[in-house]
Amino acid sequence: MNNLLLVVLLIFITFASSTPMRRQDTHLKQCEGTFPNEITSYGFKPYPIIVGQLVTNHVTGKVTVPVEEGATVKHSIYYNNQLRLEHTEDFCSFIVIPSGHTCPVTSQNFDYTVNIMAKSTPNDPKNVVLDFFTRTLITNPDGRNLTCIEQYVKYSFP
């Protein structure tokens, strides 16, 4: 499976401009511990995500501590309880700016929508739907963890 596909989709799980969507039952929850910012809803179409098709991601949340320029988003992706991929991206340049907004993210409430292609590779499985456990962590440049969410996400491989 294309690791970039997982990274891109998980980034948008964390923060993604403003098309209302129905929230899927992806078991979204805040990670254990204390984090000042909160994801209040997340949804995407289609669900399950169909590899090889466009995915529209929508996320809303509350910001108590500003997300600064240079913040990172780290994704840890598990399949069958084994870490399969860990990847870090610049949050502002990858999520906020393409969504038509700017950093720092200081507004108390945010609402982002991002479209991304769920790319496939020749090594992807065929005719199966798989569940992945994902953990996404947003960290400011000073090392302060701002947001952490976990959820299960289904991917359909046609």
Side-chain angles (χ1 to χ4, degrees), residues 49-149:
I49 294 168
I50 301 171
V51 175
Q53 292 188 7
L54 188 66
V55 179
T56 301
N57 300 269
H58 180 245
V59 65
T60 62
K62 297 179 181 180
V63 172
T64 303
V65 175
V67 180
E68 299 171 7
E69 185 75 37
T72 59
V73 56
K74 178 181 178 182
H75 305 285
S76 301
I77 304 162
Y78 299 84
Y79 182 70
N80 287 336
N81 295 319
Q82 293 183 345
L83 181 65
R84 297 293 185 181
L85 176 68
E86 208 163 57
H87 186 70
T88 303
E89 287 282 346
D90 180 86
F91 177 75
C92 294
S93 66
F94 200 69
I95 303 297
V96 179
I97 295 168
S99 297
H101 300 276
T102 60
C103 279
V105 178
T106 57
S107 60
Q108 188 171 23
N109 297 306
F110 64 85
D111 186 337
Y112 298 143
T113 298
V114 178
N115 294 311
I116 199 76
M117 180 60 70
K119 296 180 182 177
S120 63
T121 71
N123 297 328
D124 288 345
K126 301 290 182 206
N127 301 315
V128 66
V129 175
L130 300 175
D131 285 317
F132 292 87
F133 178 78
T134 65
R135 182 177 296 119
T136 304
L137 177 67
I138 304 288
T139 305
N140 260 344
D142 65 3
R144 182 172 185 186
N145 293 328
L146 302 176
T147 304
C148 183
I149 59 169

Side-chain angles (χ1 to χ4, degrees), residues 7-74:
V7 169
V8 169
L9 292 174
L10 292 174
I11 287 172
F12 298 113
I13 289 170
T14 307
F15 285 89
S17 134
S18 57
T19 301
M21 293 185 173
R22 187 177 56 123
R23 183 176 173 160
Q24 289 82 28
D25 182 15
T26 58
H27 310 287
L28 176 68
K29 68 175 188 168
Q30 303 297 313
C31 300
E32 287 188 32
T34 303
F35 302 92
N37 298 346
E38 176 185 8
I39 302 298
T40 55
S41 71
Y42 174 71
F44 42 88
K45 290 181 185 179
Y47 190 75
I49 294 168
I50 301 171
V51 175
Q53 292 188 7
L54 188 66
V55 179
T56 301
N57 300 269
H58 180 245
V59 65
T60 62
K62 297 179 181 180
V63 172
T64 303
V65 175
V67 180
E68 299 171 7
E69 185 75 37
T72 59
V73 56
K74 178 181 178 182

